[in-house]
């Protein structure tokens, strides 16, 4: 029987706190203030978790998709190196532990045209059999594929927006104009060749979908009249965020005619903006949760004032101040846990379905949330991470517990005689 006394001492504050949180018509103020506190915490958690998932989605899409196609480091030789010089350079780069792969390519500015229009593009001559090992472009093919470049010597792969602009589809032909000018005794002649559309892709990035075309490396060499086997290397690194540091390490070892840049040049500002936006929005939403926690402090203080008579009766019946303190600590904790559960439920559902909801709204209203001319992708991504769920839950629970300290101490300090005389 003696062992049950501590259990009752622990269960009593929890039981009373649960009654306060779930109080009915007899305690309307208590129920209302508890509901407001729970709603504030739940709303803050749901918004924070959804926004973090969207920012995680942008980060994932940049790393796996956009940076899965764009080379981490590009080395170019404008004047051209012979085959032996390229092989020596490739051997040096392959020996570097930070470089995962070295892909020889032909990279040139060109113009692609049809009767419907024309556009300046970056034409990349690749090895169709090896490109899938170096690039993630295969994941984004809507029609055809890179393997078609091996079967069709004069084939070309381009993005869906570019294909729509040129009014071509799979199997139709486009003209690709080379910057290399053929000179005859009478007049310069523009060098071009007709290519058959062998594949159409869509990454979701305007820079890639509208300005990148792929063709057979041998065909590119013939069209652009290169003397060497290729004019650039695409390097992929083990850690994409270390590409710029790795570039600075290998730059002194490069031949004088070779220039180098990393993905930072094209997408670095966009990636930094994504990270900055994530930190700023997260900070603002944590402030919203802090306001909800402050609201919990105010709510508990008002509840303490409303329950002064109950506290006095409990004290008169022999309840120690520590028991009164634990009652309101338990009440704040229960409000916090309820808000966390509701907020996590709404936040997880929001994170899982925000992309589908955005597509539905865009299709229904004819609007576009993300302009591909401004953002690195034209769709709203989302990636829910367990670490965010744990961090948000622990942070809100800690704020809720801290918010109960002052009201609980005020409740424990209530004097029975003074409180009953006031009633």
């Amino acid at each position: 029987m003696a062992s049950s006394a501590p259990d009752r001492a622990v269960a009593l504050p929890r039981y009373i706190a649960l009654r306060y949180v779930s109080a009915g018509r007899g305690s309307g103020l208590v129920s209302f203030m508890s509901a407001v506190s729970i709603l504030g915490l739940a709303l803050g958690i749901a918004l924070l978790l959804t926004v973090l998932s969207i920012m995680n989605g942008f980060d994932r899409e940049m790393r796996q998709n956009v940076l899965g196609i764009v080379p981490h480091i590009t080395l170019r030789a404008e004047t051209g190196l012979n085959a032996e010089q390229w092989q020596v350079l490739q051997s040096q780069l392959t020996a570097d532990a930070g470089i995962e792969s070295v892909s020889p390519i032909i990279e040139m500015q060109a113009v692609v045209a049809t009767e419907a229009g024309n556009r300046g593009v970056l034409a990349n001559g690749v090895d169709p059999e090896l490109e899938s090992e170096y690039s993630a472009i295969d994941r984004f093919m809507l029609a055809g594929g890179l393997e078609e470049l091996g079967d069709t010597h004069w084939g070309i792969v381009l993005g869906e927006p570019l294909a729509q602009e040129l009014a071509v589809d799979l199997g139709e032909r486009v003209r690709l104009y080379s910057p290399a000018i053929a000179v005859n005794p009478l007049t310069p002649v523009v060098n071009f060749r007709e290519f058959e559309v062998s594949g159409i892709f869509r990454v979701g990035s305007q820079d890639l979908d509208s300005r990148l075309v792929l063709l057979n490396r041998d065909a590119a060499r013939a069209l652009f009249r290169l003397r060497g086997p290729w004019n650039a290397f695409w390097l992929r690194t083990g850690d994409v965020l270390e590409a710029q540091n790795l570039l600075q390490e290998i730059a002194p070892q490069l031949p004088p005619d070779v220039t180098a840049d990393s993905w930072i040049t094209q997408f670095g500002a966009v990636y930094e903006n994504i990270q900055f936006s994530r930190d700023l929005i997260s900070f603002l939403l944590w402030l919203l949760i802090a306001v909800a926690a402050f609201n919990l402090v105010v709510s508990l203080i008002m509840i303490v004032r409303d329950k002064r008579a109950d506290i006095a009766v409990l004290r008169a019946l022999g309840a120690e101040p520590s028991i009164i303190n634990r009652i309101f600590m338990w009440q704040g904790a229960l409000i916090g846990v309820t808000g966390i559960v509701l907020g996590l439920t709404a936040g997880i559902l929001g994170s899982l379905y925000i992309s589908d909801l955005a597509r539905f709204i865009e299709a229904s209203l004819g609007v576009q949330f993300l302009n591909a001319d401004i953002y690195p992708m034209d769709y709203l991504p989302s990636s829910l991470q367990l670490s965010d769920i744990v961090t948000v839950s622990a942070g809100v629970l800690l704020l809720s517990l801290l918010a109960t300290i002052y009201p609980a101490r005020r409740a424990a300090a209530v004097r029975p005689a003074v409180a009953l005389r006031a009633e």
Side-chain angles (χ1 to χ4, degrees):
M1 296 294 293
S3 62
S4 63
D7 294 336
R8 286 198 299 269
V10 173
L12 179 61
R14 186 172 60 223
Y15 171 76
I16 296 176
L18 183 61
R19 287 289 302 271
Y20 281 173
V21 172
S22 59
R25 288 176 296 177
S27 300
L29 177 63
V30 176
S31 299
F32 176 75
M33 295 307 298
S34 298
V36 169
S37 300
I38 291 172
L39 181 61
L41 291 174
L43 179 62
I45 292 171
L47 289 175
L48 178 58
L49 201 57
T50 303
V51 169
L52 287 177
S53 298
I54 292 174
M55 292 302 173
N56 291 336
F58 274 106
D59 186 80
R60 180 198 62 195
E61 297 298 302
M62 281 290 294
R63 288 173 180 257
Q64 297 183 3
N65 295 344
V66 176
L67 296 181
I69 298 173
V70 175
H72 299 170
I73 298 176
T74 302
L75 306 182
R76 302 181 183 88
E78 301 297 339
T79 58
L81 303 178
N82 59 40
E84 183 179 353
Q85 290 173 313
W86 279 115
Q87 290 173 358
V88 171
L89 180 58
Q90 185 173 8
S91 299
Q92 294 175 349
L93 296 172
T94 305
D96 194 306
I99 298 176
E100 286 192 342
S101 64
V102 180
S103 175
I105 68 159
I106 294 174
E107 183 181 89
M108 294 290 288
Q109 298 290 334
V111 174
V112 62
T114 63
E115 298 300 327
N118 60 81
R119 174 179 283 274
V121 295
L122 178 64
N124 291 332
V126 300
D127 186 334
E129 297 180 357
L130 300 179
E131 182 64 14
S132 58
E133 300 179 10
Y134 303 128
S135 171
I137 192 70
D138 272 343
R139 300 207 310 262
F140 303 97
M141 300 301 300
L142 301 179
L146 291 179
E147 64 277 2
E148 303 294 335
L149 296 180
D151 300 333
T152 306
H153 184 75
W154 300 105
I156 190 170
V157 174
L158 40 78
E160 182 187 39
L162 180 57
Q164 293 175 349
E165 181 179 345
L166 300 176
V168 293
D169 206 343
L170 197 68
E172 298 182 345
R173 306 186 74 82
V174 299
R175 296 187 301 276
L176 189 64
Y177 291 84
S178 167
I181 303 298
V183 180
N184 64 28
L186 297 178
T187 181
V189 178
V190 177
N191 187 31
F192 74 95
R193 179 81 189 203
E194 284 197 346
F195 285 79
E196 179 182 330
V197 177
S198 302
I200 298 176
F201 64 85
R202 182 179 180 84
V203 179
S205 169
Q206 183 75 4
D207 285 338
L208 299 178
D209 292 338
S210 297
R211 297 179 176 88
L212 175 67
V213 299
L214 304 175
L215 53 148
N216 187 294
R217 194 166 62 197
D218 293 334
R221 183 183 179 191
L223 175 65
F224 299 129
R225 301 178 182 274
L226 292 182
R227 296 180 180 179
W230 43 76
N231 66 353
F233 277 151
W234 278 2
L235 311 183
R236 301 198 68 79
T237 62
D239 185 356
V240 65
L241 298 182
E242 292 297 322
Q244 189 65 28
N245 294 332
L246 182 59
L247 174 59
Q248 294 175 357
E249 292 179 7
I250 66 175
Q253 309 170 18
L254 300 177
D257 295 334
V258 175
T259 60
D261 60 39
S262 70
W263 66 272
I264 299 292
T265 304
Q266 185 176 6
F267 291 106
V270 175
Y271 188 79
E272 289 180 0
N273 287 338
I274 291 174
Q275 298 302 313
F276 176 76
S277 299
R278 172 192 169 92
D279 295 339
L280 178 61
I281 295 175
S282 299
F283 174 72
L284 294 177
L285 290 177
W286 272 112
L287 286 182
L288 176 63
I289 293 176
V291 170
F294 178 77
N295 181 59
L296 176 59
V297 175
V298 177
S299 300
L300 288 175
I301 291 176
M302 295 184 65
I303 292 171
V304 169
R305 292 177 62 87
D306 185 63
K307 295 296 182 181
R308 285 174 63 88
D310 293 357
I311 296 171
V313 171
L314 288 173
R315 290 294 308 278
L317 292 175
E320 298 180 356
S322 60
I323 293 179
I324 305 300
N325 185 79
R326 288 199 296 271
I327 288 174
F328 288 93
M329 290 288 288
W330 269 108
Q331 184 174 358
L334 290 172
I335 291 174
V337 169
T338 305
I340 290 172
V341 171
L342 294 178
L344 287 181
T345 302
I348 291 173
L349 291 175
S351 301
L352 294 177
Y353 295 105
I354 188 66
S355 299
D356 296 333
L357 178 61
R359 284 194 292 267
F360 174 77
I361 295 176
E362 287 179 340
S364 301
L365 303 181
V367 299
Q368 187 175 16
F369 292 132
L370 299 179
N371 188 336
D373 291 329
I374 302 174
Y375 299 96
M377 56 205 71
D378 59 0
Y379 55 94
L380 190 65
S382 178
S383 176
L384 182 63
Q385 296 185 3
L386 179 61
S387 59
D388 289 335
I389 297 176
V390 174
T391 301
V392 171
S393 301
V396 174
L397 181 59
L398 178 61
L399 286 176
S400 300
L401 293 177
L402 292 176
T404 62
I405 294 177
Y406 176 71
R409 288 183 175 180
R410 287 198 56 174
V414 171
R415 296 181 180 181
V418 176
L420 291 175
R421 189 183 306 119
E423 293 293 327

